[in-house]
Amino acid sequence: MPRILVIYKREDDPRKNTSIKMVRKGLAERVRPGSVRRGVVLDPFSKDVLGAWLRGEVEAGGVVVVDASWKKLHPDVFRGIRGIHVKLPPLLAANPVNYGKPCVLSSVEAVAAALYITGFKEDYVKLLGLFKWMHTFHELNKELLEEYSRASTPAELGKVVVEYWGVNPC
């Protein structure tokens, strides 16, 4: 499994936090922003999008997720984090807080999607078992995830987004 690095901002209940559960289960490691040297940083403010073409970067440096409240999230949170900053293509949330909303994923949903899209499908399946609702995430997004994972360029991925969503909802 590629490394999963969590920058935890302590903005919600740690007992319900998806990134902390990934850490507790040994699937991720908690790090400080300045300690990240490389990898793919999931950054919803980025102009660039995650795609299969970043598999080598994920393999070499891992996936970095910033666990912060969507209500408090600001681009400044991502400053100083080294790596390739990308946003995920649109997906539907299945977590109990944001169920059915496009682009408002929990940390575990975002990391799982990043792994699937970049070709780490077996590792994606490991994350599905962490929460009951992750199987719903899979059902809601399986066709999109597969289409996104087949796109070999940002232009191809953009076409998939337009075909499915019309206008990017993120």
Side-chain angles (χ1 to χ4, degrees):
M1 176 180 278
R3 289 176 73 195
I4 299 170
L5 306 174
V6 172
I7 298 170
Y8 179 54
K9 295 300 210 178
R10 297 181 182 175
E11 294 177 349
D12 59 5
D13 184 347
R15 294 171 299 184
K16 298 176 184 175
N17 186 282
T18 64
S19 65
I20 293 301
K21 188 165 186 177
M22 286 190 290
V23 171
R24 276 198 322 258
K25 295 291 184 178
L27 299 171
E29 53 191 286
R30 195 168 157 191
V31 297
R32 296 176 190 261
S35 68
V36 175
R37 299 286 174 241
R38 65 183 304 186
V40 173
V41 181
L42 301 179
D43 177 350
F45 300 103
S46 175
K47 292 177 185 166
D48 298 320
V49 69
L50 175 89
W53 55 88
L54 290 173
R55 179 182 171 86
E57 293 296 328
V58 170
E59 197 164 33
V63 175
V64 181
V65 64
V66 175
D67 189 290
S69 167
W70 277 102
K71 293 176 182 173
K72 299 177 183 178
L73 202 57
H74 188 271
D76 290 344
V77 171
F78 297 89
R79 287 204 180 119
I81 303 172
R82 293 185 193 157
I84 299 170
H85 288 242
V86 293
K87 63 183 170 187
L88 288 168
L91 294 162
L92 292 173
N95 66 75
V97 175
N98 293 305
Y99 179 83
K101 294 180 185 175
C103 313
V104 189
L105 305 182
S106 68
S107 294
V108 71
E109 289 170 317
V111 169
L115 292 176
Y116 193 101
I117 292 167
T118 56
F120 296 95
K121 295 176 183 178
E122 290 178 16
D123 300 314
Y124 166 84
V125 171
K126 290 177 189 175
L127 295 180
L128 292 183
L130 288 179
F131 296 90
K132 291 177 188 173
W133 47 263
M134 281 299 288
H135 294 286
T136 303
F137 175 78
H138 176 72
E139 289 304 312
L140 289 172
N141 295 291
K142 64 184 174 185
E143 292 171 14
L144 266 176
L145 286 167
E146 189 58 32
E147 289 294 321
Y148 292 157
S149 72
R150 288 187 197 143
S152 58
T153 66
E156 281 182 27
L157 194 137
K159 286 180 185 176
V160 173
V161 170
V162 169
E163 285 173 16
Y164 187 83
W165 298 95
V167 176
N168 190 333
C170 299

